[in-house]
Amino acid sequence: MSNSAQSIATPVVRGLLAALTTLGIAIAVVVVPALAAQVAGTASTATALDAIIIALNVLILGHGGGIVLTTGVVDGAVTLTPIGLLILLLALSARTLRGVGRKLVPVRDDGMLRHGALRDLGVALGAYATAYASGLAVLAAMGRSADTSPLVPSALVSGAMVAVLGGLTGLLWSLRRDPTDELPGVRVLDLLPSPYGEVARAALITLATLLSLGLATMLVLILLALPAQAALFEQLQPGIIGGIVLALLQLALLPLLAIWALVVLVGGTVGVGTGTGISLDGAQTGVLPALPMLGALPGPGEFPAAAWALMLLPAIAVGLGAARLVRDVAELEQRDRLTAWIAYPLVIVVALLLIAGLSGGGIGEDRLAHVGPQVGTMLLPLLGIAVLGAGAVYGVLGTPLIPWTRRAVDSLRERVERAEQEERGESPREQGKAATAGDGADGAAESDARSASGPAGADTDDAVKDEDADADEDADAGSDADAGEDANNDEADLWSTADVDSESADEESPAEDQRSAAEDS
């Protein structure tokens, strides 16, 4: 009984300690820059307590919660999440729970889960999420002031979501183990049943590629608008410490703008205030907050029609993930392959819609009440990119299209060559005979030389012609006529040779008569 209680108490204690550790680090991440800015801001009347309260409000926003401002400049709810800070908080939770998972030793030496491992991991995650969300709600209540009022329920819910998502990622990460000579390796995605593990791997590759594409697009825009941002930075005159804090703030907002750029690339529209929008058609923007990074957003105007070609970039990213999926499921049954092929584009669409929705929000109740992607405008273009991009790869790599195309091309080439031969008046048999005649051209020349030397050569040529005539029964009258002419020429050569011999004999007769008369005398 005591052993059972101890086995449950250990994961609970570890989860609680991990929650306190993560909250402490998260508070330090936002409070230290705020205090530094307060100390460096000589023209500011804010106290250190004001800086801490502002930092706590930023921490609530970083978790995806909301706050209410009554500053006179901005009045109303603020729900725009700094995605960079959210990513940092998720990474902190994952890192902390990974250590907890390693200490609980869920995997045996043979690579299998030990008995009660899932229970211990679940208890640790539950304790961590409960303590983390409760602590964040307490911080939200402590962050109230005359100008700011964090929403405690939103802080509780958003804190629980960050703790669960980040903690679950960390616990799964703790299961991973590299293979050795004696023990097999453990991969997190391999723990999922087929084909869902393959779909998850391909989807993660595609999402990472798409987000990198949006980030690269935003960095290019920032570099192109660097002079305008530098001028705005000089107008603000934040000083050294203030400049560092401003840089950190922009760094926290950079992933948010990267998601906005990705939404535009897939054919959606991003609003930066009431009555504004940025899409591949053009940009219609109004007055924006004095943040240097926002100077990288396109100015008002229409874009050329060639801008729609940028939609090919996310389509290529989807195709790369689809190619990986086709390779991973090639050995599975046909039903599993079809399941994976259908699930992959759906996962991409749903994930991007969730990310786009998370990157939207509002600042007050005035013209910035809605800022971020207009999800309805990107649904159909995104669905088309996902389905067509993946379908094109499926058709090329997942079906017999390429072998069939090669056979069709080879057949077409043969028909073209056959048609060209018929136009030249050559049949395949005649073409073969022409090739044989070409190969034996030297032999034919030697036969002609021998035919001119005497009857032996003529007899040899006649024998060769007889063999050719027997080998090809389809020889026409022209070849027979040629053979006849060759025979007549040979006979003419024989008669001419005989005449020469007769004349030589007649010329030699008088000389022989004179020698005979001389001998008689």
Side-chain angles (χ1 to χ4, degrees):
M1 185 69 178
S2 61
N3 292 334
S4 178
Q6 184 179 1
S7 64
I8 295 176
T10 300
V12 171
V13 172
R14 293 190 183 279
L16 293 176
L17 293 177
L20 294 177
T21 302
T22 307
L23 277 177
I25 297 175
I27 293 173
V29 167
V30 295
V31 169
V32 171
L35 290 176
Q38 187 271 334
V39 172
T42 56
S44 177
T45 59
T47 63
L49 180 59
D50 294 334
I52 294 175
I53 291 176
I54 293 174
L56 294 179
N57 282 268
V58 172
L59 182 62
I60 302 302
L61 288 175
H63 283 82
I67 62 175
V68 177
L69 298 179
T70 55
T71 61
V73 179
V74 178
D75 295 326
V78 178
T79 57
L80 189 64
T81 304
I83 301 297
L85 182 56
L86 176 61
I87 294 174
L88 178 60
L89 295 172
L90 288 171
L92 286 174
S93 295
R95 180 72 179 181
T96 305
L97 264 292
R98 176 177 177 264
V100 173
R102 290 288 179 86
K103 291 178 181 178
L104 293 176
V105 193
V107 181
R108 299 196 308 248
D109 293 337
D110 57 357
M112 304 298 292
L113 290 176
R114 65 171 177 83
H115 178 69
L118 295 180
R119 181 200 61 190
D120 293 344
L121 294 178
V123 170
L125 179 61
Y128 175 82
T130 302
Y132 190 91
S134 301
L136 189 65
V138 172
L139 293 176
M142 294 173 57
R144 293 178 178 270
S145 66
D147 298 330
T148 62
S149 177
L151 301 176
V152 177
S154 68
L156 183 64
V157 174
S158 60
M161 292 181 61
V162 169
V164 171
L165 292 178
L168 184 59
T169 303
L171 292 178
L172 292 176
W173 188 10
S174 67
L175 299 177
R176 185 183 182 277
R177 188 175 63 188
D178 294 329
T180 61
D181 297 336
E182 300 177 354
L183 300 176
V186 178
R187 305 294 181 183
V188 176
L189 294 180
D190 293 340
L191 300 177
L192 298 175
S194 295
Y196 303 107
E198 289 79 2
V199 173
R201 182 179 292 106
L204 289 176
I205 293 174
T206 302
L207 291 176
T209 305
L210 289 173
L211 293 175
S212 300
L213 180 62
L215 180 60
T217 303
M218 198 61 219
L219 290 177
V220 171
L221 294 177
I222 290 175
L223 291 177
L224 293 177
L226 200 58
Q229 297 177 71
L232 183 57
F233 190 85
E234 291 179 358
Q235 293 178 4
L236 294 176
Q237 296 180 353
I240 298 177
I241 303 298
I244 295 175
V245 174
L246 183 59
L248 292 176
L249 176 61
Q250 294 186 111
L251 187 62
L253 294 176
L254 180 59
L256 179 72
L257 298 182
I259 296 175
W260 291 6
L262 177 60
V263 171
V264 174
L265 289 178
V266 299
T269 301
V270 174
V272 288
T274 304
T276 63
I278 301 174
S279 65
L280 293 177
D281 280 331
Q284 184 178 359
T285 58
V287 179
L288 298 175
L291 191 63
M293 180 182 293
L294 297 181
L297 298 179
E302 295 184 357
F303 299 153
W308 287 97
L310 294 175
M311 293 181 66
L312 293 175
L313 298 177
I316 293 174
V318 172
L320 293 176
R324 175 61 184 267
L325 179 63
V326 170
R327 187 185 68 181
D328 291 343
V329 301
E331 302 299 330
L332 299 181
E333 296 181 358
Q334 184 176 3
R335 183 183 65 180
D336 293 337
R337 290 201 303 270
L338 292 177
T339 301
W341 292 356
I342 295 173
Y344 168 72
L346 295 179
V347 170
I348 296 300
V349 171
V350 173
L352 285 182
L353 290 178
L354 290 176
I355 293 174
L358 183 63
S359 64
I363 303 176
E365 298 177 351
D366 295 331
R367 60 181 309 275
L368 297 178
H370 179 77
V371 178
Q374 300 174 7
V375 179
T377 61
M378 63 177 291
L379 178 58
L380 291 180
L382 176 60
L383 189 61
I385 289 174
V387 173
L388 296 179
V393 175
Y394 295 160
V396 174
L397 301 180
T399 63
L401 179 62
I402 293 181
W404 178 84
T405 304
R406 290 177 179 175
R407 291 194 299 268
V409 171
D410 294 339
S411 177
L412 179 61
R413 185 185 296 110
E414 292 177 358
R415 290 197 298 269
V416 171
E417 293 177 354
R418 190 180 302 111
E420 292 177 352
Q421 295 172 3
E422 292 177 356
E423 290 180 358
R424 292 195 299 266
E426 297 179 355
S427 64
R429 175 177 292 178
E430 291 175 348
Q431 189 178 10
K433 289 176 61 179
T436 304
D439 294 337
D442 296 337
E446 294 177 358
S447 298
D448 293 339
R450 288 194 300 270
S451 63
S453 63
D459 294 339
T460 303
D461 291 339
D462 292 337
V464 172
K465 290 182 175 58
D466 291 338
E467 292 177 358
D468 293 337
D470 295 339
D472 189 4
E473 295 178 356
D474 297 333
D476 51 11
S479 60
D480 295 334
D482 293 338
E485 291 177 1
D486 291 339
N488 293 332
N489 291 334
D490 293 340
E491 292 177 358
D493 293 338
L494 292 173
W495 285 109
S496 62
T497 303
D499 293 339
V500 172
D501 294 339
S502 300
E503 292 176 358
S504 299
D506 294 339
E507 291 176 356
E508 292 176 354
S509 296
E512 292 178 354
D513 293 339
Q514 292 177 0
R515 283 194 298 271
S516 299
E519 291 176 354
D520 293 339
S521 61

